[in-house]
Amino acid sequence: MSIPRARDAARDRIARAKATGARVFVDGQKTDGIDGILKECRKLGETGEVISKAHGKLFAIEAGDFSGWIRDSSTTAEGFVTPPGGFSADGVDPGSALLIDALPSLKGSVADLGAGWGALSAAVLSRSPEIRFCALIEAHKPSLDCARKNVSDPRVTFHWADARTWRPDAKLDHVITNPPFHKGRSADPGLGRAFLQTAAASLGPRGTLWLVANRHLPYERTLADLFREVEDLPGTNAYKLTRASRPVTPR
């Protein structure tokens, strides 16, 4: 297994892998904390030879009891269930909170791209009785599992899928999203742009995208290319809010 950046999530994955009874090989980069994980594994058990290459390490766990590392989901102050090491595991992140406050009551069909553990979907469904259904799309399985617990509304459907390539069965009225912009430790605005492309491809002729993003991310050109109407909504110094509608139909 390759370790994630979050230490609790890395420990949890190692413990669950060991619990299967299979031999476990652990791989990771120094920037993701592999040195610290190796030291902790040696304290709890036995590890094999360490192979170091390209700023990373690979080793096998030969023996040891790692059951104490298993972390079940936790509950935030707002009452949401979140996964160990997931995005904003301590509660609703500031960007999503800003978008939640700005969203009006929506009608029709909705998709939440990169929905995480369901904060945006839960909020929009609670205030929008005229929503017919809301598709919640998330690639991180532990976050999606938590979303199933956080969003119990019968109008929601859950999709374990990459939001960059997911497409609905029929065109939507609204898309809401707080897209990611990191691959590992490196910023990659291309991730967010791919989310915007999915939104434009998924919306009907008069459909609307509701977007929150970090202020520094360069999405303006992409939005102008994908939508006929783009409106900046009141944001903060850290985050910008955008309402984009009437997607451009590809020729």
Side-chain angles (χ1 to χ4, degrees):
M1 56 151 290
S2 294
I3 64 166
R5 289 174 60 188
R7 179 62 60 86
D8 284 348
R11 291 171 174 166
D12 179 74
R13 289 189 189 180
I14 290 171
R16 293 180 188 275
K18 282 295 294 176
T20 66
R23 193 178 185 198
V24 177
F25 292 85
V26 181
D27 169 75
Q29 296 294 305
K30 289 185 177 180
T31 52
D32 289 333
I34 189 63
D35 291 327
I37 287 293
L38 173 58
K39 290 179 182 177
E40 294 184 20
C41 286
R42 283 172 168 166
K43 290 179 181 179
L44 289 181
E46 299 176 11
T47 61
E49 178 186 357
V50 178
I51 299 173
S52 299
K53 189 173 183 180
H55 305 291
K57 285 183 169 64
L58 172 70
F59 62 90
I61 299 177
E62 307 291 358
D65 180 6
F66 294 83
S67 59
W69 280 4
I70 293 178
R71 293 289 182 269
D72 292 322
S73 57
S74 57
T75 303
T76 70
E78 303 101 334
F80 291 113
V81 179
T82 63
F87 173 68
S88 192
D90 295 331
V92 180
D93 66 285
S96 294
L98 187 68
L99 180 55
I100 287 170
D101 289 342
L103 283 171
S105 178
L106 303 181
K107 300 179 181 180
S109 54
V110 180
D112 183 353
L113 298 182
W117 42 262
L120 285 178
S121 291
V124 74
L125 286 164
S126 69
R127 68 177 64 164
S128 303
E130 294 187 75
I131 287 179
R132 295 196 311 276
F133 72 85
C134 178
L136 193 154
I137 299 92
E138 176 54 49
H140 185 239
K141 183 67 161 52
S143 292
L144 186 69
D145 290 341
C146 288
R148 295 179 189 275
K149 299 175 182 178
N150 294 325
V151 190
S152 59
D153 194 296
R155 294 172 292 172
V156 75
T157 58
F158 299 91
H159 304 263
W160 183 23
D162 188 333
R164 296 172 295 180
T165 55
W166 178 85
R167 295 293 185 271
D169 294 332
K171 296 295 185 179
L172 303 169
D173 295 302
H174 299 276
V175 168
I176 56 177
T177 187
N178 179 6
F181 63 96
H182 279 93
K183 283 185 178 179
R185 292 183 179 271
S186 301
D188 182 8
L191 283 173
R193 285 193 285 265
F195 273 56
L196 303 185
Q197 290 163 356
T198 292
S202 300
L203 287 164
R206 302 186 67 83
T208 301
L209 165 68
W210 303 88
L211 166 72
V212 62
N214 288 60
R215 177 68 64 182
H216 69 279
L217 293 171
Y219 293 154
E220 284 74 15
R221 177 63 182 272
T222 301
L223 287 166
D225 290 341
L226 293 173
F227 295 90
R228 292 183 175 86
E229 297 178 4
V230 179
E231 177 187 3
D232 292 329
L233 303 177
T236 66
N237 290 335
Y239 297 98
K240 53 188 173 184
L241 289 175
T242 304
R243 178 185 182 274
S245 58
R246 301 181 64 214
V248 175
T249 303
R251 294 182 179 180

PDB file of all heavy atoms in Angstrom, residues 1-2 4 9 14 17 32 34 36 41 43 60 64 66 71 74 102 105 107 148 166 181 202 231 241:
ATOM      1  N   MET A   1       0.837  -1.189   0.000  1.00  0.00           N
ATOM      2  CA  MET A   1       0.000   0.000   0.000  1.00  0.00           C
ATOM      3  C   MET A   1       0.874   1.241   0.000  1.00  0.00           C
ATOM      4  O   MET A   1       1.997   1.230   0.507  1.00  0.00           O
ATOM      5  CB  MET A   1      -0.898   0.019   1.235  1.00  0.00           C
ATOM      6  CG  MET A   1      -0.170  -0.077   2.564  1.00  0.00           C
ATOM      7  SD  MET A   1      -1.036   0.749   3.913  1.00  0.00           S
ATOM      8  CE  MET A   1      -0.836   2.468   3.480  1.00  0.00           C
ATOM      9  N   SER A   2       0.372   2.294  -0.633  1.00  0.00           N
ATOM     10  CA  SER A   2       1.042   3.587  -0.629  1.00  0.00           C
ATOM     11  C   SER A   2       0.386   4.458   0.431  1.00  0.00           C
ATOM     12  O   SER A   2      -0.845   4.550   0.479  1.00  0.00           O
ATOM     13  CB  SER A   2       0.939   4.267  -2.001  1.00  0.00           C
ATOM     14  OG  SER A   2       1.656   3.530  -2.971  1.00  0.00           O
ATOM     15  N   PRO A   4      -1.060   7.640   2.408  1.00  0.00           N
ATOM     16  CA  PRO A   4      -1.562   8.987   2.131  1.00  0.00           C
ATOM     17  C   PRO A   4      -0.814   9.995   2.997  1.00  0.00           C
ATOM     18  O   PRO A   4      -0.060   9.637   3.903  1.00  0.00           O
ATOM     19  CB  PRO A   4      -3.035   8.900   2.530  1.00  0.00           C
ATOM     20  CG  PRO A   4      -3.045   7.876   3.629  1.00  0.00           C
ATOM     21  CD  PRO A   4      -1.968   6.885   3.284  1.00  0.00           C
ATOM     22  N   ALA A   9      -4.758   8.534   8.617  1.00  0.00           N
ATOM     23  CA  ALA A   9      -5.235   7.696   7.514  1.00  0.00           C
ATOM     24  C   ALA A   9      -4.203   6.650   7.135  1.00  0.00           C
ATOM     25  O   ALA A   9      -4.552   5.506   6.815  1.00  0.00           O
ATOM     26  CB  ALA A   9      -5.569   8.569   6.307  1.00  0.00           C
ATOM     27  N   ILE A  14      -2.678   0.844   7.143  1.00  0.00           N
ATOM     28  CA  ILE A  14      -1.725  -0.212   7.498  1.00  0.00           C
ATOM     29  C   ILE A  14      -2.385  -1.237   8.412  1.00  0.00           C
ATOM     30  O   ILE A  14      -2.264  -2.451   8.218  1.00  0.00           O
ATOM     31  CB  ILE A  14      -0.476   0.389   8.163  1.00  0.00           C
ATOM     32  CG1 ILE A  14       0.349   1.164   7.130  1.00  0.00           C
ATOM     33  CG2 ILE A  14       0.382  -0.694   8.806  1.00  0.00           C
ATOM     34  CD1 ILE A  14       1.486   1.974   7.722  1.00  0.00           C
ATOM     35  N   ALA A  17      -4.857  -3.343   6.509  1.00  0.00           N
ATOM     36  CA  ALA A  17      -4.149  -4.271   5.625  1.00  0.00           C
ATOM     37  C   ALA A  17      -3.589  -5.446   6.418  1.00  0.00           C
ATOM     38  O   ALA A  17      -3.706  -6.610   6.009  1.00  0.00           O
ATOM     39  CB  ALA A  17      -3.033  -3.543   4.890  1.00  0.00           C
ATOM     40  N   ASP A  32       5.533  12.690   2.270  1.00  0.00           N
ATOM     41  CA  ASP A  32       4.270  12.192   2.796  1.00  0.00           C
ATOM     42  C   ASP A  32       4.434  11.527   4.161  1.00  0.00           C
ATOM     43  O   ASP A  32       3.469  10.970   4.703  1.00  0.00           O
ATOM     44  CB  ASP A  32       3.639  11.195   1.819  1.00  0.00           C
ATOM     45  CG  ASP A  32       3.123  11.882   0.564  1.00  0.00           C
ATOM     46  OD1 ASP A  32       2.783  13.074   0.645  1.00  0.00           O
ATOM     47  OD2 ASP A  32       3.067  11.224  -0.486  1.00  0.00           O
ATOM     48  N   ILE A  34       6.903   9.040   5.142  1.00  0.00           N
ATOM     49  CA  ILE A  34       7.259   7.631   5.204  1.00  0.00           C
ATOM     50  C   ILE A  34       8.297   7.346   6.289  1.00  0.00           C
ATOM     51  O   ILE A  34       8.271   6.274   6.913  1.00  0.00           O
ATOM     52  CB  ILE A  34       7.755   7.129   3.823  1.00  0.00           C
ATOM     53  CG1 ILE A  34       7.913   5.607   3.812  1.00  0.00           C
ATOM     54  CG2 ILE A  34       9.050   7.826   3.435  1.00  0.00           C
ATOM     55  CD1 ILE A  34       6.653   4.846   4.016  1.00  0.00           C
ATOM     56  N   GLY A  36       8.636   8.732   9.266  1.00  0.00           N
ATOM     57  CA  GLY A  36       7.951   8.637  10.554  1.00  0.00           C
ATOM     58  C   GLY A  36       7.140   7.361  10.672  1.00  0.00           C
ATOM     59  O   GLY A  36       7.113   6.725  11.732  1.00  0.00           O
ATOM     60  N   CYS A  41       6.277   1.824  12.786  1.00  0.00           N
ATOM     61  CA  CYS A  41       6.072   0.400  12.506  1.00  0.00           C
ATOM     62  C   CYS A  41       7.121  -0.445  13.232  1.00  0.00           C
ATOM     63  O   CYS A  41       6.818  -1.541  13.726  1.00  0.00           O
ATOM     64  CB  CYS A  41       6.139   0.149  11.001  1.00  0.00           C
ATOM     65  SG  CYS A  41       4.697   0.709  10.068  1.00  0.00           S
ATOM     66  N   LYS A  43       8.455   0.230  16.047  1.00  0.00           N
ATOM     67  CA  LYS A  43       8.133   0.190  17.475  1.00  0.00           C
ATOM     68  C   LYS A  43       7.069  -0.854  17.785  1.00  0.00           C
ATOM     69  O   LYS A  43       7.071  -1.462  18.860  1.00  0.00           O
ATOM     70  CB  LYS A  43       7.645   1.567  17.940  1.00  0.00           C
ATOM     71  CG  LYS A  43       8.734   2.640  17.972  1.00  0.00           C
ATOM     72  CD  LYS A  43       8.148   3.968  18.420  1.00  0.00           C
ATOM     73  CE  LYS A  43       9.210   5.074  18.437  1.00  0.00           C
ATOM     74  NZ  LYS A  43       8.621   6.381  18.843  1.00  0.00           N
ATOM     75  N   ALA A  60       8.620  -4.053   4.050  1.00  0.00           N
ATOM     76  CA  ALA A  60       7.585  -5.020   4.408  1.00  0.00           C
ATOM     77  C   ALA A  60       7.405  -5.046   5.912  1.00  0.00           C
ATOM     78  O   ALA A  60       8.363  -4.874   6.667  1.00  0.00           O
ATOM     79  CB  ALA A  60       7.968  -6.411   3.906  1.00  0.00           C
ATOM     80  N   GLY A  64       3.732  -8.061  14.056  1.00  0.00           N
ATOM     81  CA  GLY A  64       3.332  -6.983  14.960  1.00  0.00           C
ATOM     82  C   GLY A  64       1.831  -6.828  15.037  1.00  0.00           C
ATOM     83  O   GLY A  64       1.094  -7.268  14.146  1.00  0.00           O
ATOM     84  N   PHE A  66      -0.990  -4.195  15.010  1.00  0.00           N
ATOM     85  CA  PHE A  66      -1.266  -2.811  14.618  1.00  0.00           C
ATOM     86  C   PHE A  66      -2.742  -2.459  14.782  1.00  0.00           C
ATOM     87  O   PHE A  66      -3.196  -1.430  14.266  1.00  0.00           O
ATOM     88  CB  PHE A  66      -0.836  -2.587  13.160  1.00  0.00           C
ATOM     89  CG  PHE A  66       0.651  -2.688  12.947  1.00  0.00           C
ATOM     90  CD1 PHE A  66       1.263  -3.914  12.785  1.00  0.00           C
ATOM     91  CD2 PHE A  66       1.436  -1.553  12.932  1.00  0.00           C
ATOM     92  CE1 PHE A  66       2.634  -4.018  12.602  1.00  0.00           C
ATOM     93  CE2 PHE A  66       2.808  -1.638  12.748  1.00  0.00           C
ATOM     94  CZ  PHE A  66       3.408  -2.884  12.586  1.00  0.00           C
ATOM     95  N   ARG A  71      -8.800   3.417  12.818  1.00  0.00           N
ATOM     96  CA  ARG A  71      -9.585   4.597  13.168  1.00  0.00           C
ATOM     97  C   ARG A  71     -10.917   4.559  12.441  1.00  0.00           C
ATOM     98  O   ARG A  71     -10.969   4.570  11.218  1.00  0.00           O
ATOM     99  CB  ARG A  71      -8.830   5.880  12.773  1.00  0.00           C
ATOM    100  CG  ARG A  71      -7.570   6.124  13.577  1.00  0.00           C
ATOM    101  CD  ARG A  71      -7.906   6.528  15.001  1.00  0.00           C
ATOM    102  NE  ARG A  71      -6.704   6.807  15.767  1.00  0.00           N
ATOM    103  CZ  ARG A  71      -6.045   5.914  16.497  1.00  0.00           C
ATOM    104  NH1 ARG A  71      -6.478   4.657  16.524  1.00  0.00           N
ATOM    105  NH2 ARG A  71      -4.965   6.237  17.159  1.00  0.00           N
ATOM    106  N   SER A  74     -15.172   9.767  12.665  1.00  0.00           N
ATOM    107  CA  SER A  74     -15.408  10.622  13.821  1.00  0.00           C
ATOM    108  C   SER A  74     -16.592  11.534  13.541  1.00  0.00           C
ATOM    109  O   SER A  74     -17.065  11.641  12.415  1.00  0.00           O
ATOM    110  CB  SER A  74     -14.153  11.455  14.129  1.00  0.00           C
ATOM    111  OG  SER A  74     -13.783  12.226  13.001  1.00  0.00           O
ATOM    112  N   ALA A 102     -24.413  31.191   0.402  1.00  0.00           N
ATOM    113  CA  ALA A 102     -24.785  31.929  -0.802  1.00  0.00           C
ATOM    114  C   ALA A 102     -25.846  31.228  -1.640  1.00  0.00           C
ATOM    115  O   ALA A 102     -26.527  31.872  -2.446  1.00  0.00           O
ATOM    116  CB  ALA A 102     -23.542  32.170  -1.666  1.00  0.00           C
ATOM    117  N   SER A 105     -32.586  28.592  -2.671  1.00  0.00           N
ATOM    118  CA  SER A 105     -33.351  27.357  -2.794  1.00  0.00           C
ATOM    119  C   SER A 105     -33.338  26.948  -4.268  1.00  0.00           C
ATOM    120  O   SER A 105     -33.684  27.734  -5.149  1.00  0.00           O
ATOM    121  CB  SER A 105     -34.787  27.580  -2.320  1.00  0.00           C
ATOM    122  OG  SER A 105     -35.538  26.403  -2.473  1.00  0.00           O
ATOM    123  N   LYS A 107     -34.130  24.293  -7.642  1.00  0.00           N
ATOM    124  CA  LYS A 107     -35.215  23.484  -8.188  1.00  0.00           C
ATOM    125  C   LYS A 107     -34.657  22.505  -9.214  1.00  0.00           C
ATOM    126  O   LYS A 107     -33.652  22.770  -9.859  1.00  0.00           O
ATOM    127  CB  LYS A 107     -36.269  24.372  -8.865  1.00  0.00           C
ATOM    128  CG  LYS A 107     -36.943  25.388  -7.968  1.00  0.00           C
ATOM    129  CD  LYS A 107     -37.941  26.224  -8.752  1.00  0.00           C
ATOM    130  CE  LYS A 107     -38.608  27.266  -7.862  1.00  0.00           C
ATOM    131  NZ  LYS A 107     -39.590  28.096  -8.626  1.00  0.00           N
ATOM    132  N   ARG A 148     -23.019   8.807   2.930  1.00  0.00           N
ATOM    133  CA  ARG A 148     -24.234   7.994   3.014  1.00  0.00           C
ATOM    134  C   ARG A 148     -24.890   8.103   4.397  1.00  0.00           C
ATOM    135  O   ARG A 148     -26.119   7.972   4.529  1.00  0.00           O
ATOM    136  CB  ARG A 148     -23.910   6.535   2.716  1.00  0.00           C
ATOM    137  CG  ARG A 148     -23.436   6.278   1.294  1.00  0.00           C
ATOM    138  CD  ARG A 148     -23.111   4.806   1.086  1.00  0.00           C
ATOM    139  NE  ARG A 148     -22.469   4.557  -0.182  1.00  0.00           N
ATOM    140  CZ  ARG A 148     -23.102   4.366  -1.337  1.00  0.00           C
ATOM    141  NH1 ARG A 148     -24.435   4.388  -1.349  1.00  0.00           N
ATOM    142  NH2 ARG A 148     -22.443   4.147  -2.452  1.00  0.00           N
ATOM    143  N   TRP A 166     -17.163  11.665 -14.772  1.00  0.00           N
ATOM    144  CA  TRP A 166     -18.565  11.296 -14.551  1.00  0.00           C
ATOM    145  C   TRP A 166     -19.494  12.125 -15.432  1.00  0.00           C
ATOM    146  O   TRP A 166     -19.246  13.309 -15.684  1.00  0.00           O
ATOM    147  CB  TRP A 166     -18.919  11.517 -13.089  1.00  0.00           C
ATOM    148  CG  TRP A 166     -20.356  11.224 -12.757  1.00  0.00           C
ATOM    149  CD1 TRP A 166     -20.909  10.020 -12.448  1.00  0.00           C
ATOM    150  CD2 TRP A 166     -21.426  12.180 -12.708  1.00  0.00           C
ATOM    151  NE1 TRP A 166     -22.259  10.161 -12.206  1.00  0.00           N
ATOM    152  CE2 TRP A 166     -22.603  11.460 -12.365  1.00  0.00           C
ATOM    153  CE3 TRP A 166     -21.506  13.555 -12.939  1.00  0.00           C
ATOM    154  CZ2 TRP A 166     -23.838  12.086 -12.226  1.00  0.00           C
ATOM    155  CZ3 TRP A 166     -22.739  14.183 -12.809  1.00  0.00           C
ATOM    156  CH2 TRP A 166     -23.887  13.445 -12.459  1.00  0.00           C
ATOM    157  N   PHE A 181      -7.728  21.070  -5.762  1.00  0.00           N
ATOM    158  CA  PHE A 181      -6.719  21.619  -6.672  1.00  0.00           C
ATOM    159  C   PHE A 181      -5.311  21.157  -6.305  1.00  0.00           C
ATOM    160  O   PHE A 181      -4.327  21.815  -6.641  1.00  0.00           O
ATOM    161  CB  PHE A 181      -6.788  23.157  -6.698  1.00  0.00           C
ATOM    162  CG  PHE A 181      -6.492  23.836  -5.387  1.00  0.00           C
ATOM    163  CD1 PHE A 181      -5.221  24.312  -5.102  1.00  0.00           C
ATOM    164  CD2 PHE A 181      -7.488  24.002  -4.441  1.00  0.00           C
ATOM    165  CE1 PHE A 181      -4.951  24.942  -3.890  1.00  0.00           C
ATOM    166  CE2 PHE A 181      -7.228  24.630  -3.232  1.00  0.00           C
ATOM    167  CZ  PHE A 181      -5.951  25.106  -2.962  1.00  0.00           C
ATOM    168  N   SER A 202     -22.538  18.560 -18.207  1.00  0.00           N
ATOM    169  CA  SER A 202     -23.639  17.895 -17.504  1.00  0.00           C
ATOM    170  C   SER A 202     -24.901  18.744 -17.418  1.00  0.00           C
ATOM    171  O   SER A 202     -25.982  18.211 -17.157  1.00  0.00           O
ATOM    172  CB  SER A 202     -23.192  17.523 -16.080  1.00  0.00           C
ATOM    173  OG  SER A 202     -22.079  16.658 -16.109  1.00  0.00           O
ATOM    174  N   GLU A 231     -21.056  35.218 -13.434  1.00  0.00           N
ATOM    175  CA  GLU A 231     -21.280  36.293 -12.458  1.00  0.00           C
ATOM    176  C   GLU A 231     -20.490  36.027 -11.181  1.00  0.00           C
ATOM    177  O   GLU A 231     -20.567  34.938 -10.612  1.00  0.00           O
ATOM    178  CB  GLU A 231     -22.767  36.374 -12.127  1.00  0.00           C
ATOM    179  CG  GLU A 231     -23.109  37.402 -11.060  1.00  0.00           C
ATOM    180  CD  GLU A 231     -24.569  37.338 -10.634  1.00  0.00           C
ATOM    181  OE1 GLU A 231     -25.299  36.451 -11.124  1.00  0.00           O
ATOM    182  OE2 GLU A 231     -24.963  38.160  -9.788  1.00  0.00           O
ATOM    183  N   LEU A 241     -16.639  33.270  -5.118  1.00  0.00           N
ATOM    184  CA  LEU A 241     -17.871  32.571  -5.462  1.00  0.00           C
ATOM    185  C   LEU A 241     -18.285  32.965  -6.867  1.00  0.00           C
ATOM    186  O   LEU A 241     -18.214  34.139  -7.239  1.00  0.00           O
ATOM    187  CB  LEU A 241     -18.995  32.934  -4.496  1.00  0.00           C
ATOM    188  CG  LEU A 241     -18.906  32.412  -3.065  1.00  0.00           C
ATOM    189  CD1 LEU A 241     -20.041  32.988  -2.239  1.00  0.00           C
ATOM    190  CD2 LEU A 241     -18.950  30.893  -3.045  1.00  0.00           C
TER     191      LEU A 241
END
